[in-house]
Structures are given as C-alpha cells and as structure tokens.
Amino acid sequence: MRPMNMLRALVLVALVAVAAAGCAKKTVQTPPAPPAETPTQTPTPPVTPTPTPTPTAPTTGLPLDQATLGKLQVVYFALDSDAIDEGGQSSLDANARALKSTTGDFVIEGHCDERGTAEYNQSLGERRAKAVQQYFADQGIALSRITVVSYGKDRPAVEGSDEQAWSKNRRAEFSLRK
Amino acid sequence: MRRLTLLFAGLLLLPASIGAAQGDPAEVKLEWKSGSTARLPLRCEPFAPVGDRDARTTSVQGDEVLAADLAGSAVFQVVKTWDPTSSGSTPQFVTGGKWTVRGTQLKLSGELRDFPGRRPILVKEYSGPVADWRGLVHRFADDIVLQLTGEPGVAGTRIAFVSRAGRDMELCVMDFDGHGLTQLTNDRSIARSPNWSPDGSLLIFTSYRGGTGPQLWVMNPANRKPFPISTRSGINTSGIYSPDGQRIACTLSQDGNSEIYVLDARGGSPQRLTNNRSVDTSPCWSPTGREITFTSGRSGNPQIYVMDSDGGNPRRLTYDVDYTDSPMWSPKGDRIAFVSRTGAGFDLYVCRSDGTGAQRVVSGGSNENPHWAPDGRHLVFSSNRDGALALYVTDLDGTPPRKLETGGRKALSPAWSPRH
C-alpha cells in the first residue's frame, strides 16, 4: 500500500471508529454472552451512518495483528531514565493513532541496556513500559487492552557494548499478547 | 606458630567489639582485614592406591580434587608433590593417605600431619560408593579446613546459576568446583536471580515461564518441578529466603511501583516494607533476620540502604560510589558486598555492615551479582572480564579471581549454596 492510500485508509477507519464510538465502547465492554433473543447469531456490527461505505465496515477497528504492531515505532530512553522525550512523544502519538483504529490487546515491553544491573533494570524496564502505557491512556486507548512486561536487560535488541547498541536497547516496544 | 597467628589476623574474622557504637547493638560487629595473602603452606602427597585396578585411576583424580579443594579454600598455599610446576614456601602441613577400592566401594583413609615432623593432626576414614569418590574427597577437604580454622570448608557446596543460550536463560546447578553441571529448567524462557533456601533444599528464582512477565518460582533441584510462589500483577523479582526459611523478601510492583515486600514461605500474606515513588529492589536479609539491605533510587541514582525487617528505620549505606546494586549480606553479618558502576561496567565492593570501609575487591570488565560462600571467605560473581559471560570466584585476598568451568555455557547470576 502506498503511503497516500494507507493514510486514506487510516482516516477512513478512524472516522468509522469515531462515528461508532458510543456503540463501540459498549460492544467491547459487554460480557461475551449474547442477548437471549439472538442466541445463535454471531455479533454483527450495529448499523451506523458512515460518511463513506467501506467493504469491511468495522465499527471498532481492525483486529490488531502482527503487521500493524510491526509498524509501530519503538520508543527510546535516556540512560537510567523512564522519561519520554520529544522524539518519544511523536513516536507515541503516531502509535496511538494507529492503535486507536484497531481492537485487541497488546503488550508494551520495557527494556534496558546492559549498563544497569539485572534487578534494577527489571524495575526500570517496567517504569518505561508504564510511562508508555500512561501516555496511551492519556490519548484515549483503553487500559484494558494493555499488558506491561519488563524484560530488564535480558532481551537486548542489539548485541554490543557501545553507545550505539545501548541506545537501541533502552526502549519500549510492542508485541501481541500471547 | 607465628605464621598461624598472621594467618588468623589476615584471613579470619576477629570479633572486635560486640555492640559497637553504630548500628544495631544486637548485631555482632566484626573486624575485617583485607589484602592479606597469608596462607598456610601445605604439601599434598598422592593417596596410595590399594585394591582393584581402577583404584589407581580414581586415586590420581582424587589427588587433584583434594589439592584443588584445599587451594580453593583460600586457607592454604598448596604444593602438589606429583606436579613439578607446583612450588611454594616450606610446608607446615602434609596431606595423604590410602585410597582403597573393593568392588564398588571406596575407603578413603585421609591423613593430615604436621611437617616435617609428620605427627598426625587429623586421621579419618570416609567410605562410600566409588561413584561418589568426589563427595568423599570434598568431605576430607572440609574436615581439614575445620581442623585448622575451627570452621568447615565449602568443598561440599554447590552453585546455582543461569546459563544463557541465545534468548533463553535456564537455571542450572553444579558442584562448587564446576563438576556435575545439571540444567534444571528447560522453559525456553528467562530464568534469573536464584537463591537457596537456608537448608539448601530449594531454589527460589525469577522466571518468565508463566508468559506474563517476571514471577517468583521455587524448585527442588532434586525433582526439578517448579511451583509458583508469587505471580501477582506487575513484576515479582529478587526473591530471597529469610535465615529461618519462614519468610521470603522480594520485589513486587502490584501497587504500581517496585517496592520490597515480605511474604510467608508459600508466597502469601504480603507485607509491604517500602513506600516511595522510586525503585526499591534487591533485598537481602542480615544473618540474624532482623535487618534487610536493599537498593533504592530514592536519592536519585540507585544506592544501598538497610532497614529493619519490618520496614522501619531505613538508612542509607553508600554515598561515595556511583550507581550501586546487588547488596549481599555476608554469612557472619559483618560485611555487605555490592556492585558499583564504573564506566561501562560494574566493580565489586565490600563494606562493613554499617557502610564504612568500602573497598573495591574486583575490577576489570563488568562484574555482577556477587554471592557469598557460606564461610564468608569467597564471593562468586559473573563477569565478562575474559570476553564471554562466565562465573568467577574471588577469595578477597588480592589473588586474581578464578574462573569456574560451566561446560562452555555462558553463565551468570550465581548463588552459592549453604553447607548441606
């Protein structure tokens, strides 16, 4: 998909989602048991006016898949820090837009570089992931979709003992909930 | 005798004053003098093989293991009479004896004598299956150390650790000399930070095997069946048994931020000990169980603190070092080992339990997760000092750390077992 087309698709999906927001929230939070009147029916999206008809017409967004997750931007941190800097904020803004057009749960993984100790890094990694979680929550992403897991320094993105490797390893990234 | 006196001044822990002015008056304060290399010169003569043909095969191996045990005790300077490259000062003691094999049974008649008089100091028999000849030699070595220092050695102990292969980190255990390595988990996940129960029967460790982040699990290494201890939401890390084995100190973030808790031995009835917005982690009990040392970021970067084991009276221990973590209280209660960041890596430090007298004991490469031997004479730690991550032991007397064989595996996060 070319960038323009993708953008259009995203806008479309977003509009649909906004239009269906009220129903969508209810759909998500309704217990799985369907109403008695339609016991055998699979849940169908409620009919809602949409500016442009689309073939799939999702009301709550596309199910989150690996492809979407893979396009999310990794957020990087300074040494010993769980603060989200300006670059991190713009990455997270883009990520939040993409995630809001989807449904489904995901994991925020917090990671650290090898310059911290194993135990302290397990705690720091969680603080990084939780900082991202809070940022998403402020952008309107349901907390119920998010699981936070810290890997400390045990899952580096890049092997190596220089600033180039370290800066790539101090990060929060995203994965599907298993 | 003068040498002996020197040794005791240099290597052993002298009760200096009980209830020193600073700190908990209930804690026995001990004086520690480092930097001494005084060791008792001891001559190892080979065991005389008696009986079956393979008596000789095992006895020559036994010779090497006894010599390695005694050298590794940090009490002796060992000269092996069968090894021309082995030399040292005039010996004060000599070991040897008979190695008798009858079928599947071994009788080790161990002897420790003074030198050159050769008057017996310790003569003792050890019997068991030939297959367990290492165990018999370790017992003899520990008795020799006991005879000459008043405290048994650590040759019969084991070391739990984590081996890393690619992304996977598995729990392993081996004898203190690297023999008999056994992999305990096969989770294809992350295992970390093992610690032994005080009776040596259980290992508590951090594991991602549950699939939802770090949790505390316990395993009996004899049956390798892990069972969950704390799987609360958030992180569950840094589990460590109290000296009486009745409680577990650990780090949980169930209330939003890493705090130190004490659980009962089954993982229930959590009691929160710390309460602040920064990270608190890495708890370790004092040997009396009355205090807990831990790491906190409350002052900015991580530093070592001590609090009462009910969470009261927290006080900072380290000031003049960078980022510090991994405090481990020595078995006698007199010292605390920890790591401090220097450049790209960590150095090992030891200070008194009131925080004074901090000394760097290991540097070069990055050195992490120090763990005391039960005799307080050695620390095992992980390091990349020679390249790949491996385990090392320092005898805290200025001699270079020695590498432990781990069968070619990358090894980290060691924990020295208590004596069994």
Side-chain angles (χ1 to χ4, degrees):
Chain A
M1 201 184 273
R2 287 203 315 260
M4 250 342 259
N5 288 346
M6 192 157 88
L7 190 66
R8 194 175 296 156
L10 275 177
V11 168
L12 259 178
V13 170
L15 282 171
V16 171
V18 166
C23 304
K25 275 234 170 73
K26 272 189 194 122
T27 309
V28 168
Q29 286 169 2
T30 299
E37 297 84 44
T38 57
T40 52
Q41 221 176 326
T42 44
T44 47
V47 181
T48 46
T50 52
T52 320
T54 63
T56 47
T59 55
T60 57
L62 298 162
L64 189 56
D65 58 9
Q66 194 56 56
T68 314
L69 273 175
K71 286 180 199 138
L72 297 182
Q73 296 174 34
V74 176
V75 185
Y76 297 100
F77 294 84
L79 179 64
D80 299 338
S81 171
D82 57 12
I84 296 167
D85 63 14
E86 262 179 51
Q89 288 176 22
S90 67
S91 298
L92 287 180
D93 289 343
N95 290 349
R97 282 193 295 274
L99 285 164
K100 275 198 272 189
S101 68
T102 65
T103 60
D105 301 342
F106 61 97
V107 177
I108 304 173
E109 299 181 0
H111 297 270
C112 305
D113 71 19
E114 65 179 11
R115 276 184 296 174
T117 54
E119 281 72 24
Y120 203 83
N121 272 347
Q122 274 170 328
S123 295
L124 177 62
E126 185 185 52
R127 289 173 74 94
R128 286 177 175 164
K130 283 190 167 171
V132 171
Q133 180 188 38
Q134 187 56 51
Y135 197 92
F136 281 167
D138 293 345
Q139 304 265 320
I141 296 177
L143 277 174
S144 58
R145 294 180 66 188
I146 306 173
T147 307
V148 159
V149 175
S150 171
Y151 287 96
K153 61 174 172 178
D154 292 331
R155 288 278 159 87
V158 180
E159 294 288 342
S161 296
D162 51 36
E163 182 51 42
Q164 208 180 350
W166 295 329
S167 62
K168 292 247 173 16
N169 290 335
R170 297 188 298 262
R171 69 201 193 278
E173 59 184 41
F174 309 93
S175 59
L176 284 177
R177 192 188 278 179
K178 281 169 197 142
Chain B
M1 209 49 220
R2 194 169 153 264
R3 279 214 185 95
L4 255 180
T5 314
L6 269 178
L7 168 93
F8 282 109
L11 279 179
L12 301 186
L13 307 159
L14 294 175
S17 59
I18 292 171
Q22 291 174 321
D24 181 355
E27 297 275 356
V28 179
K29 299 292 176 189
L30 298 154
E31 194 77 23
W32 175 53
K33 294 184 181 165
S34 72
S36 168
T37 52
R39 298 189 186 209
L40 293 174
L42 177 143
R43 172 183 162 96
C44 279
E45 294 179 349
F47 295 115
V50 180
D52 294 357
R53 247 177 316 165
D54 59 333
R56 171 147 183 86
T57 322
T58 48
S59 80
V60 294
Q61 292 175 286
D63 296 339
E64 294 290 352
V65 169
L66 180 68
D69 283 355
L70 295 174
S73 73
V75 174
F76 301 104
Q77 177 197 60
V78 172
V79 173
K80 303 185 276 191
T81 58
W82 62 89
D83 181 352
T85 64
S86 162
S87 62
S89 335
T90 312
Q92 293 178 15
F93 304 97
V94 58
T95 62
K98 263 191 273 181
W99 184 280
T100 310
V101 175
R102 301 257 185 258
T104 60
Q105 288 296 303
L106 166 66
K107 187 174 79 179
L108 168 59
S109 313
E111 295 176 8
L112 169 71
R113 296 171 180 271
D114 68 2
F115 192 87
R118 290 187 179 268
R119 284 165 304 192
I121 298 172
L122 172 73
V123 176
K124 197 166 173 182
E125 282 191 0
Y126 306 84
S127 295
V130 182
D132 185 35
W133 65 263
R134 285 176 176 274
L136 303 190
V137 173
H138 290 329
R139 280 166 54 197
F140 179 39
D142 283 349
D143 283 342
I144 292 171
V145 175
L146 171 65
Q147 184 73 35
L148 295 179
T149 69
E151 190 187 353
V154 293
T157 57
R158 295 195 288 168
I159 290 172
F161 66 99
V162 167
S163 79
R164 174 185 279 162
R167 288 161 57 88
D168 301 331
M169 295 168 66
E170 305 285 1
L171 189 62
C172 297
V173 69
M174 63 185 184
D175 294 350
F176 97 116
D177 58 2
H179 198 267
L181 192 156
T182 308
Q183 186 175 320
L184 298 175
T185 59
N186 195 16
D187 294 333
R188 312 289 317 262
S189 177
I190 298 172
R192 257 240 176 251
S193 311
N195 273 304
W196 296 85
S197 61
D199 66 356
S201 69
L202 298 173
L203 281 167
I204 186 167
F205 61 106
T206 303
S207 175
Y208 287 68
R209 68 196 311 279
T212 56
Q215 303 172 329
L216 291 176
W217 290 70
V218 164
M219 175 190 285
N220 175 347
N223 67 22
R224 300 186 213 172
K225 281 193 199 127
F227 56 94
I229 282 291
S230 182
T231 58
R232 296 171 170 87
S233 77
I235 67 167
N236 305 255
T237 63
S238 295
I240 187 164
Y241 282 99
S242 61
D244 63 5
Q246 300 299 304
R247 290 172 293 169
I248 294 167
C250 63
T251 303
L252 305 177
S253 65
Q254 60 174 3
D255 296 332
N257 171 43
S258 288
E259 304 283 0
I260 292 170
Y261 292 75
V262 169
L263 315 175
D264 63 35
R266 292 178 171 184
S269 32
Q271 180 200 352
R272 181 166 160 180
L273 302 190
T274 57
N275 192 349
N276 64 74
R277 294 167 60 84
S278 49
V279 171
D280 296 290
T281 187
S282 306
C284 176
W285 302 82
S286 73
T288 62
R290 289 199 198 98
E291 292 173 295
I292 289 173
T293 180
F294 64 104
T295 301
S296 179
R298 62 187 66 177
S299 67
N301 68 352
Q303 295 291 328
I304 309 296
Y305 290 73
V306 169
M307 62 185 163
D308 298 345
S309 59
D310 62 2
N313 194 23
R315 60 255 187 217
R316 183 171 168 183
L317 228 60
T318 52
Y319 286 93
D320 48 357
V321 282
D322 196 1
Y323 183 126
T324 65
D325 191 12
S326 313
M328 289 301 289
W329 219 305
S330 73
K332 294 184 177 67
D334 57 329
R335 290 171 285 167
I336 291 171
F338 60 92
V339 304
S340 182
R341 183 192 279 165
T342 38
F346 290 94
D347 289 346
L348 300 193
Y349 284 77
V350 172
C351 66
R352 295 194 191 95
S353 59
D354 62 2
T356 63
Q359 293 188 350
R360 185 163 63 183
V361 293
V362 173
S363 59
S366 191
N367 309 286
E368 290 188 63
N369 293 107
H371 207 288
W372 292 95
D375 61 3
R377 283 202 183 91
H378 329 267
L379 286 170
V380 63
F381 60 99
S382 65
S383 177
N384 62 359
R385 54 197 305 109
D386 300 319
L389 266 178
L391 304 184
Y392 294 81
V393 171
T394 173
D395 296 332
L396 300 167
D397 61 357
T399 55
R402 59 179 189 277
K403 189 174 173 177
L404 294 179
E405 272 311 313
T406 48
R409 293 164 182 249
K410 285 184 187 168
L412 61 158
S413 212
W416 208 311
S417 82
R419 295 185 184 94
H420 291 294

